[in-house]
């Protein structure tokens, strides 16, 4: 299963980027996860929507070619980051490559709530008409106090979190396969 991970932080040492890279490494035998960069995307501008820069074209094509999207979001001021919203804006215009594409969400923060508010806002956005991305239900991944759960090499070392991620990956794969079967009928 080909999955693109879109990380809502462009910070070099982002915990959310480390979480996405951990997912990529840990589940490589089951999932082909490519962590996409949104750092080079220009700000969405309707004036160039019909003739977007190559960075946008490449980003959209990778998302379009994937079977699913893994959103890994930080929380900025109780919401998602501006760069993540910008990336979604590019994906929701023109070809609207997210419509019908299965998604799942996770996020990490140094706070106790682990991006719970940002994920709520992201869910609202994913259900909007230009996006319409079906979302794995009931498997919220809020990695709070992440700085105590991840080592310098980017490995999760908190066993309950690792076991929970194992369960969520299983749940996502089962849900994805059920969705695919429904579409075939």
């Amino acid at each position: 299963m080909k999955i693109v991970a879109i990380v809502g932080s462009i910070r070099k040492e982002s915990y959310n980027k480390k979480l996405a890279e951990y997912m990529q490494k840990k589940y490589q035998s089951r999932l082909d996860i490519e962590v996409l960069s949104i750092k080079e995307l220009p700000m969405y501008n309707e004036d160039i929507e019909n003739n977007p820069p190559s960075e946008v074209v490449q980003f959209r094509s990778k998302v379009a070619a994937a079977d699913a999207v893994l959103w890994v979001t930080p929380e900025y001021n109780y919401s998602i980051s501006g760069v993540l919203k910008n990336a979604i804006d590019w994906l929701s215009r023109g070809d609207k490559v997210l419509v019908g594409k299965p998604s799942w969400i996770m996020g990490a923060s140094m706070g106790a709530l682990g991006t719970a508010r940002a994920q709520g806002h992201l869910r609202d956005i994913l259900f909007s008409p230009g996006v319409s991305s079906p979302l794995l239900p009931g498997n919220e991944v809020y990695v709070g106090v992440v700085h105590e759960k991840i080592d310098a090499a980017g490995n999760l070392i908190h066993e309950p979190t690792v076991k929970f991620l194992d369960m969520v990956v299983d749940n996502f794969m089962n849900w994805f396969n059920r969705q695919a079967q429904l579409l075939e009928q």
Side-chain angles (χ1 to χ4, degrees):
M1 179 184 316
K2 176 67 177 163
I3 296 176
V4 290
I6 300 176
V7 180
S9 173
I10 58 174
R11 185 172 69 92
K12 184 179 177 184
E13 295 298 320
S14 163
Y15 285 115
N16 285 283
K17 181 179 175 194
K18 289 178 182 184
L19 179 58
E21 290 169 345
Y22 173 81
M23 296 293 294
Q24 180 183 46
K25 183 173 49 174
K26 168 119 170 96
Y27 300 104
Q28 65 185 333
S29 66
R30 301 175 69 196
L31 302 169
D32 178 13
I33 299 175
E34 179 180 4
V35 180
L36 300 183
S37 173
I38 60 175
K39 186 176 185 175
E40 302 303 323
L41 292 177
M43 292 301 294
Y44 171 76
N45 181 342
E46 192 173 1
D47 292 340
I48 59 172
E49 178 181 320
N50 294 323
N51 191 21
S54 62
E55 295 86 359
V56 172
V57 173
Q58 291 171 350
F59 180 65
R60 279 183 182 161
S61 67
K62 286 185 178 196
V63 173
D67 296 313
V69 177
L70 169 59
W71 302 95
V72 189
T73 184
E75 184 168 299
Y76 295 178
N77 299 316
Y78 292 176
S79 191
I80 65 170
S81 65
V83 292
L84 182 57
K85 178 65 168 74
N86 182 59
I88 295 169
D89 289 345
W90 277 115
L91 295 171
S92 70
R93 304 293 291 211
D95 296 338
K96 298 183 181 181
V97 299
L98 289 173
V99 172
K101 189 164 301 284
S103 289
W104 49 325
I105 303 173
M106 59 183 57
S109 77
M110 292 173 66
L113 296 179
T115 77
R117 291 180 182 111
Q119 288 189 38
H121 289 174
L122 181 54
R123 277 184 197 82
D124 289 344
I125 294 166
L126 293 177
F127 294 143
S128 68
V131 181
S132 297
S133 179
L135 185 61
L136 174 66
N139 285 265
E140 290 80 10
V141 179
Y142 309 122
V143 183
V145 196
V146 68
H147 58 291
E148 296 178 5
K149 296 177 180 174
I150 199 163
D151 67 16
N155 296 306
L156 279 174
I157 55 173
H158 186 250
E159 199 57 35
T161 301
V162 172
K163 287 182 179 184
F164 182 70
L165 287 175
D166 289 343
M167 182 188 73
V168 171
V169 167
D170 288 342
N171 291 345
F172 178 77
M173 293 180 74
N174 291 333
W175 174 78
F176 179 89
N177 290 330
R178 281 192 310 274
Q179 298 292 87
Q181 289 172 351
L182 290 173
L183 290 174
E184 290 175 3
Q185 294 178 356

